[in-house]
């Protein structure tokens, strides 16, 4: 019995566990919902019925839905809702403890567009055809209805409705106000009625449009004036202005004014570009207008470029005497050009030409293009000028030139390049291309002026012209110098020869003594009183005579005896005679 109770208890527990396991369900996964629209039109209007659906693809059955608009709960729990207002819509799908929210969906519902009646005619005369257009900015397919006053217009012989256009074969009864209304095809959308459009039957004159100045392209801040005129009864007409077909409102642009029959733009801007037309508006029978004039295309650039400078044969560094040629240009017509360098007075010309540039032309240049009160400056252009390599002319003194009286001129340019040379005599070019010029010294050439310069195949093509050289009396001075030098040389040679001869031929001076020495010897060099040259120069005729007498005396009294190779003489002491010593034989 005890065992049976235990068995029953075990079975009961097992059944209860199995029952609990069977009631436990796995967690539910809900895909992300998406909001869809029941219509595929690009533009939706408030008068339409718009249905939003919360779609959960592959979701479990039995989902509950919640809708939100601009994050506020709408209290809607259906799969679909009808929306009548613009806003950001969201939906949430829920089952049990699991839920998933969609991305926000922006719904835009617009008011139906406001149609407008447009026409080139505000006045008409009996028999004319006048077309009125009902214009809607939206691009959908619209059906149009026309009303004159409160009466709907239907097509007949005098009125024809085609598309958005009402064409009238003008009768007196057509004078009045016209409105139009549009209905969207296939959709329950109807616009409000347009504003009334008045039509007066009358013959209209044709206005004319002109522009001052005459060009059609302008730059920012330029001034211009458009003039609209009606020749017939001109004092009865006012004027309306259009740009690209749209009326130009007054007082919306401070740069545009409408004094009288003119449109004045005091400071042009890019937004003023477009096709301008005008039409006449009757001052007493408003709003009777003429047809629009032909369009004047006006172009205003966004920015004002600088005047362009065209360089011809331009170098960063010019050499003196080269040509500088600059041209100033500005897009458009009617320009006058002025060239400026520093504070110098301007040069009024589109072309600036300096045929031979010098250091005085170094500086900053710019041009100014001007038409009327408007002007544009160019960028500053720097002209730099460098002196040409200098040529130096020198006279070379050669012995052969001194002897012949000719001249040797040398032209030298020290810039390290190879040069050919051109020589000039009194401004006339000579047939010589080397750097040395040989000139015969004559009466013509010594009075002529010589110059030289270098020539090259690359810039600079030639050097500066050397300073002039005139020989004048240099040749004669050379000849005089040669004569003087010759004389000096001859005198020196004669003196040297005379000294040598004198030294050789001169005999020593002997004093009168009772005994005459046979031999002479030179005394100490310190006792020698003078050199032969000095004696020759300082001697007087008396001294010469004394020398001659002494020579004769020595010759007569000297006796030399040769015995057995021994010289015998009187035993007398040595005596000095004019620096010479005489000895007796012992």
């Amino acid at each position: 019995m005890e065992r049976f109770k235990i068995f029953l208890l075990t079975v009961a527990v097992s059944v209860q566990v199995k029952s609990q396991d069977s009631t436990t369900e796995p967690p539910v996964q809900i895909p992300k919902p998406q909001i869809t629209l029941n219509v595929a039109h690009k533009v939706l209007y408030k008068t339409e019925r718009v249905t939003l659906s919360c779609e959960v693809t592959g979701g479990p059955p039995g989902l509950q839905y919640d809708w939100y608009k601009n994050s506020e709960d709408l209290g809607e729990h259906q799969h679909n809702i009808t929306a009548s207002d613009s806003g950001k819509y969201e939906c949430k799908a829920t089952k049990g403890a699991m839920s998933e929210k969609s991305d926000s969906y922006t719904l835009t519902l617009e008011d139906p567009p406001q149609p407008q009646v447009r026409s080139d005619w505000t006045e008409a005369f009996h028999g004319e055809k006048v077309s009125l257009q009902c214009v809607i900015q939206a691009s959908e397919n619209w059906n149009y209805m026309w009303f004159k006053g409160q009466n709907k217009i239907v097509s007949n012989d005098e009125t024809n409705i085609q598309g958005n256009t009402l064409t009238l074969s003008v009768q007196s009864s057509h004078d009045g106000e016209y409105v139009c209304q549009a209905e969207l095809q296939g959709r329950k959308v109807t616009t409000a009625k347009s504003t009334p459009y008045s039509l007066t039957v009358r013959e209209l004159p044709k206005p004319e449009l002109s522009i001052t100045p005459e060009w059609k392209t302008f730059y920012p801040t330029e001034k211009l004036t458009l003039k609209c005129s009606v020749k017939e009864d001109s004092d009865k007409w006012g004027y309306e202005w259009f740009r690209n077909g749209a009326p130009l409102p007054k007082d919306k642009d401070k740069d545009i004014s409408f004094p009288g029959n003119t449109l004045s733009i005091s400071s042009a801007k890019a937004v003023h570009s477009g096709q301008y037309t005008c039409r006449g508006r009757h001052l007493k029978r408003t709003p009777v207008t003429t047809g629009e004039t032909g369009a004047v295309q006006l172009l205003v650039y966004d920015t004002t470029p600088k005047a362009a400078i065209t360089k011809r044969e331009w170098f960063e560094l010019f050499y003196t005497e080269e040509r500088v040629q600059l041209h100033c240009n500005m897009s458009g017509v009617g320009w006058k050009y002025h060239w400026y360098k520093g504070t110098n007075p301007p040069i009024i010309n589109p072309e600036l030409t300096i045929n031979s540039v010098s250091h005085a032309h170094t500086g900053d240049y710019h041009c100014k293009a001007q038409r009327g009160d408007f002007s544009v400056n160019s960028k500053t252009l720097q002209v730099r000028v460098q002196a040409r390599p200098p040529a130096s002319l020198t006279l070379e003194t050669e012995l052969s030139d001194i002897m012949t009286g000719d001249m040797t001129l040398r032209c030298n340019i020290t810039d390290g390049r190879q040069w050919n040379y051109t020589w000039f005599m009194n401004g006339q070019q000579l047939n010589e291309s080397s750097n040395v010029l040989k000139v015969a010294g004559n009466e013509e050439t010594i009075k002529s002026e010589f110059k030289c310069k270098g020539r090259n195949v690359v810039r600079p093509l030639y050097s500066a012209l050397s300073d002039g050289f005139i020989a004048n009396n240099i040749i004669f001075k050379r000849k005089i110098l040669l004569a003087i030098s010759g004389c000096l040389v001859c005198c020196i040679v004669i003196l040297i020869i005379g000294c040598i001869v004198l030294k050789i031929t001169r005999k020593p001076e002997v004093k009168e003594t009772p005994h005459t020495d046979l031999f002479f010897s030179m005394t100490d060099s310190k006792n020698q009183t003078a050199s032969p040259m000095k004696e020759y120069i300082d001697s007087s005729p008396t001294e010469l005579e004394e020398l001659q007498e002494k020579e004769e005396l020595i010759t007569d009294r000297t006796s030399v005896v040769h015995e057995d190779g021994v010289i015998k003489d009187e035993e007398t002491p040595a005596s000095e005679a004019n620096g010479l010593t005489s000895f007796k034989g012992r």
Side-chain angles (χ1 to χ4, degrees):
M1 190 67 180
E2 190 78 13
R3 291 180 180 178
F4 180 74
K5 290 181 179 180
I6 294 173
F7 174 76
L8 290 177
L9 182 61
T10 302
V11 171
V13 171
S14 299
V15 171
Q16 186 177 359
V17 169
K18 290 182 179 180
S19 176
Q20 289 177 354
D21 292 340
S22 62
T23 58
T24 301
E25 296 180 0
V28 178
Q29 297 294 328
I30 302 175
K32 191 178 186 67
Q34 291 184 347
I35 298 177
T36 60
L37 194 65
N38 67 326
V39 291
H41 304 301
K42 292 182 178 179
V43 180
L44 300 175
Y45 299 98
K46 293 179 179 180
T47 57
E48 291 185 289
R49 181 180 179 87
V50 179
T51 301
L52 299 178
S53 300
C54 188
E55 301 290 345
V56 181
T57 305
L63 293 173
Q64 180 181 344
Y65 300 92
D66 298 285
W67 287 90
Y68 303 86
K69 176 188 171 186
N70 298 330
S71 301
E72 294 182 4
D73 192 350
L74 296 176
E76 298 283 348
H77 305 289
Q78 296 81 16
H79 177 259
N80 301 321
I81 64 170
T82 300
S84 59
D85 295 320
S86 300
K88 290 185 178 181
Y89 288 82
E90 298 171 303
C91 73
K92 183 172 69 174
T94 305
K95 185 172 184 180
M98 301 300 295
S99 65
E100 188 70 28
K101 202 171 188 179
S102 70
D103 294 330
S104 63
Y105 180 89
T106 301
L107 179 65
T108 303
L109 299 178
E110 299 180 359
D111 291 322
Q114 178 71 30
Q116 291 182 347
V117 177
R118 292 183 182 177
S119 176
D120 292 333
W121 304 92
T122 56
E123 286 188 347
F125 290 84
H126 182 77
E128 290 186 317
K129 287 187 178 295
V130 175
S131 295
L132 305 178
Q133 285 187 332
C134 189
V135 179
I136 296 178
Q137 298 298 327
S139 60
E140 287 88 357
N141 295 323
W142 297 89
N143 293 325
Y144 297 90
M145 299 170 288
W146 288 91
F147 301 86
K148 183 177 183 291
Q150 299 298 324
N151 300 321
K152 186 175 182 179
I153 299 174
V154 296
S155 294
N156 54 37
D157 295 337
E158 297 177 359
T159 58
N160 179 36
I161 299 175
Q162 188 172 1
N164 67 334
T165 303
L166 170 64
T167 302
L168 302 175
S169 296
V170 176
Q171 303 293 325
S172 301
S173 59
H174 292 151
D175 189 278
E177 293 183 342
Y178 293 82
V179 295
C180 71
Q181 191 175 27
E183 186 178 60
L184 197 57
Q185 295 179 7
R187 296 164 64 181
K188 295 181 180 180
V189 177
T190 303
T191 68
K193 289 184 178 180
S194 67
T195 56
Y197 185 88
S198 297
L199 178 66
T200 303
V201 179
R202 188 182 183 278
E203 184 69 28
L204 297 175
K206 295 181 178 181
E208 295 180 355
L209 180 61
S210 61
I211 184 172
T212 304
E214 297 178 354
W215 44 86
K216 306 294 178 62
T217 59
F218 296 86
Y219 294 96
T221 72
E222 279 198 274
K223 298 178 180 179
L224 62 109
T225 301
L226 296 169
K227 184 177 181 180
C228 190
S229 58
V230 175
K231 293 182 179 179
E232 300 175 6
D233 300 327
S234 58
D235 59 335
K236 297 180 180 180
W237 293 91
Y239 300 90
E240 296 176 347
W241 293 92
F242 301 85
R243 181 170 64 215
N244 300 327
L248 280 174
K250 292 185 177 181
D251 303 327
K252 291 293 182 68
D253 190 335
K254 63 182 180 61
D255 296 319
I256 298 180
S257 59
F258 308 91
N261 64 336
T262 60
L263 183 152
S264 297
I265 300 178
S266 59
S267 181
K269 294 181 177 63
V271 295
H272 297 144
S273 298
Q275 290 186 335
Y276 285 77
T277 58
C278 69
R279 66 183 181 187
R281 176 177 48 81
H282 204 281
L283 296 175
K284 295 181 179 179
R285 298 169 55 187
T286 305
V288 175
T289 60
T290 68
E292 292 185 20
T293 63
V296 172
Q297 181 67 48
L298 186 64
L299 174 62
V300 182
Y301 294 104
D302 289 328
T303 58
T304 303
K306 291 184 176 294
I309 297 179
T310 303
K311 310 167 189 174
R312 300 177 183 175
E313 295 185 0
W314 177 258
F315 306 103
E316 292 299 324
L317 188 64
F318 285 89
Y319 289 98
T320 53
E321 300 180 10
E322 284 187 319
R323 180 185 178 92
V324 179
Q325 195 169 12
L326 303 173
H327 184 80
C328 188
N329 184 56
M330 188 73 181
S331 177
V333 296
W335 295 101
K336 291 183 179 180
Y337 299 93
H338 303 73
W339 283 95
Y340 294 88
K341 176 184 179 289
T343 59
N344 295 340
I347 300 173
I348 304 176
N349 199 318
E351 193 95 8
L352 174 64
T353 301
I354 305 174
N355 290 317
S356 180
V357 70
S358 66
H359 288 289
H361 296 119
T362 298
D364 295 331
Y365 291 78
H366 76 276
C367 72
K368 181 172 72 174
Q370 185 170 3
R371 58 182 184 185
D373 296 329
F374 180 76
S375 62
V376 180
N377 288 319
S378 70
K379 292 182 179 179
T380 299
L381 185 66
Q382 187 179 45
V383 174
R384 297 190 300 162
V385 182
Q386 176 179 332
R388 292 180 177 275
S392 60
L393 191 154
T394 57
L395 173 66
E396 296 190 353
T397 302
E398 298 181 1
L399 183 59
S400 59
D401 293 341
I402 295 176
M403 302 299 294
T404 60
D406 295 339
M407 292 186 295
T408 300
L409 303 178
R410 181 178 295 276
C411 192
N412 189 33
I413 301 174
T414 59
D415 69 341
R417 298 195 302 163
Q418 295 294 327
W419 291 85
N420 291 323
Y421 295 85
T422 302
W423 291 87
F424 302 89
M425 185 176 76
N426 296 329
Q428 298 295 320
Q429 184 173 335
L430 302 178
N431 187 21
E432 181 59 56
S433 61
S434 69
N435 65 330
V436 176
L437 176 67
K438 289 281 190 177
V439 181
N442 54 45
E443 186 176 352
E444 178 185 0
T445 58
I446 64 175
K447 295 181 179 179
S448 299
E449 183 182 41
F450 291 88
K451 294 182 179 181
C452 70
K453 68 178 180 181
R455 290 181 290 104
N456 216 314
V457 294
V458 294
R459 292 184 65 251
L461 300 178
Y462 59 91
S463 70
L465 192 64
S466 70
D467 294 333
F469 173 81
I470 301 176
N472 286 331
N473 297 325
I474 290 179
I475 302 300
F476 294 118
K477 291 179 180 179
R478 279 182 172 180
K479 291 181 178 181
I480 294 172
L481 178 62
L482 178 62
I484 294 173
S485 300
C487 291
L488 290 175
V489 171
C490 290
C491 291
I492 293 172
V493 170
I494 291 171
L495 287 174
I496 294 173
I497 294 173
C499 291
I500 294 172
V501 171
L502 180 61
K503 186 174 182 180
I504 294 173
T505 59
R506 179 183 177 191
K507 294 184 179 180
E509 179 181 359
V510 179
K511 293 184 178 180
E512 292 185 12
T513 57
H515 300 284
T516 303
D517 292 332
L518 180 60
F519 294 99
F520 300 91
S521 62
M522 296 295 295
T523 61
D524 192 322
S525 59
K526 293 181 180 180
N527 298 326
Q528 194 170 350
T529 58
S531 66
M533 177 66 71
K534 179 171 178 53
E535 291 180 1
Y536 177 80
I537 294 174
D538 297 338
S539 63
S540 62
T542 304
E543 292 176 344
L544 291 175
E545 291 176 359
E546 291 178 355
L547 287 173
Q548 290 176 357
E549 291 176 358
K550 290 178 180 180
E551 184 179 357
E552 291 175 359
L553 180 60
I554 293 169
T555 303
D556 293 340
R557 297 192 59 179
T558 302
S559 62
V560 179
V561 179
H562 297 272
E563 292 182 359
D564 297 330
V566 179
I567 300 175
K568 295 181 180 180
D569 203 349
E570 300 180 7
E571 293 181 357
T572 56
S575 62
E576 292 182 0
N578 199 16
L580 300 178
T581 305
S582 177
F583 300 90
K584 288 184 179 181
R586 295 180 182 256

